[in-house]
Amino acid sequence: MEDLEIIIPVKNENKNITRVLDSFFYEVKTKFTVTICFDDYKDTTIPEIKKYDRRKQFKIKLLKNKYYGINGAVKTAFENSNSKVLLVYPADDFFNANKIDQLNKLIHSGYEIVCPSRFMKGGVMHGCPFLKSILTRSANFIFYHILKLPTHDATNCFRIFSRKVIKNIDFELQKGPTFGLQLLVKAHRKKYNITEIPVVWYERVIGKSNFRIIEWVFPYVKWLIYAINTVLSIK
């Protein structure tokens, strides 16, 4: 069984992926593999992976999404993994590879989920469009301060999980990148050990953001209600 697997869902990230992989090469000391999960064989990321000149330094797997979207990509990767620790990493994040060893160590110290946080002390969210920023900050304020989830950043898709979470928590497919929030609220209800560390986040400058307010609001509301019911059941 492999130790750390870094899962990167992609959609035409040819201009970003090499820089992300290089950041792993220079910053990550833990032995790891990378799984690139894609929707379409025509994805422009694939040729970049095949010609990447550091492939011999760490293993890179290409995996076809058997479902749809980012949640489907993550679920596909989980179902095809035998790793002890699974980290879902953004395809345009050049800034946080230096946090990966710390995240892995925290899982091995006994935590089941570690949440990289933009909103705790030391965290940064920079360049976010106004509406997206307001919605994201408001939602995370509610999840942390009112519903008492153990992270200031419940909605972040950058997240690391122990195999216990992947094995024991049912992962439902939905529109939008809700996997991080979904697994978090379910793990919180089961009273799993969860913690957070600060990270930096910058609005992407290469490629288009897939942020979809109208499409994603109801899936997020579902897990908001789930978290509310958890609080009520505890009381």
Side-chain angles (χ1 to χ4, degrees), residues 11-17 19 91-94 202-210:
K11 186 174 183 180
N12 297 324
E13 295 287 357
N14 56 301
K15 295 182 179 179
N16 289 317
I17 197 64
R19 191 174 172 188
D92 63 333
D93 187 333
F94 319 129
Y202 295 91
E203 180 71 13
R204 69 159 57 227
V205 294
I206 300 175
K208 291 183 179 180
S209 171
N210 291 319

Side-chain angles (χ1 to χ4, degrees), residues 24-69:
F24 297 163
F25 175 78
Y26 288 112
E27 299 287 353
V28 182
K29 306 304 179 186
T30 305
K31 186 177 180 180
F32 65 95
T33 63
V34 176
T35 296
I36 306 291
C37 195
F38 58 92
D39 288 338
D40 189 325
Y41 284 105
K42 295 180 180 179
D43 194 297
T44 60
T45 316
I46 296 173
E48 294 300 314
I49 296 298
K50 290 182 175 179
K51 69 182 183 182
Y52 184 63
D53 59 4
R54 292 197 170 101
R55 292 189 71 188
K56 293 182 180 180
Q57 304 298 324
F58 50 87
K59 185 178 178 181
I60 304 175
K61 299 184 291 184
L62 287 165
L63 181 64
K64 175 72 167 62
N65 184 356
K66 75 176 197 178
Y67 302 107
Y68 56 88

Side-chain angles (χ1 to χ4, degrees), residues 8 25 93 183 193 222 225:
I8 308 179
F25 175 78
D93 187 333
L183 292 173
N193 290 329
K222 176 177 180 176
I225 293 170

Side-chain angles (χ1 to χ4, degrees), residues 143 147 149 185 189 223-232:
F143 281 119
L147 301 178
L149 289 182
V185 295
R189 182 174 289 190
W223 302 116
L224 172 64
I225 293 170
Y226 188 100
I228 292 171
N229 287 335
T230 300
V231 171
L232 294 175

Side-chain angles (χ1 to χ4, degrees), residues 169-198:
I169 296 181
D170 180 48
F171 178 6
E172 302 172 32
L173 288 174
Q174 294 176 302
K175 289 184 178 180
T178 60
F179 70 88
L181 177 60
Q182 177 185 162
L183 292 173
L184 176 68
V185 295
K186 289 182 176 181
H188 180 56
R189 182 174 289 190
K190 288 177 176 288
K191 299 182 179 179
Y192 284 10
N193 290 329
I194 302 167
T195 191
E196 61 181 345
I197 65 168

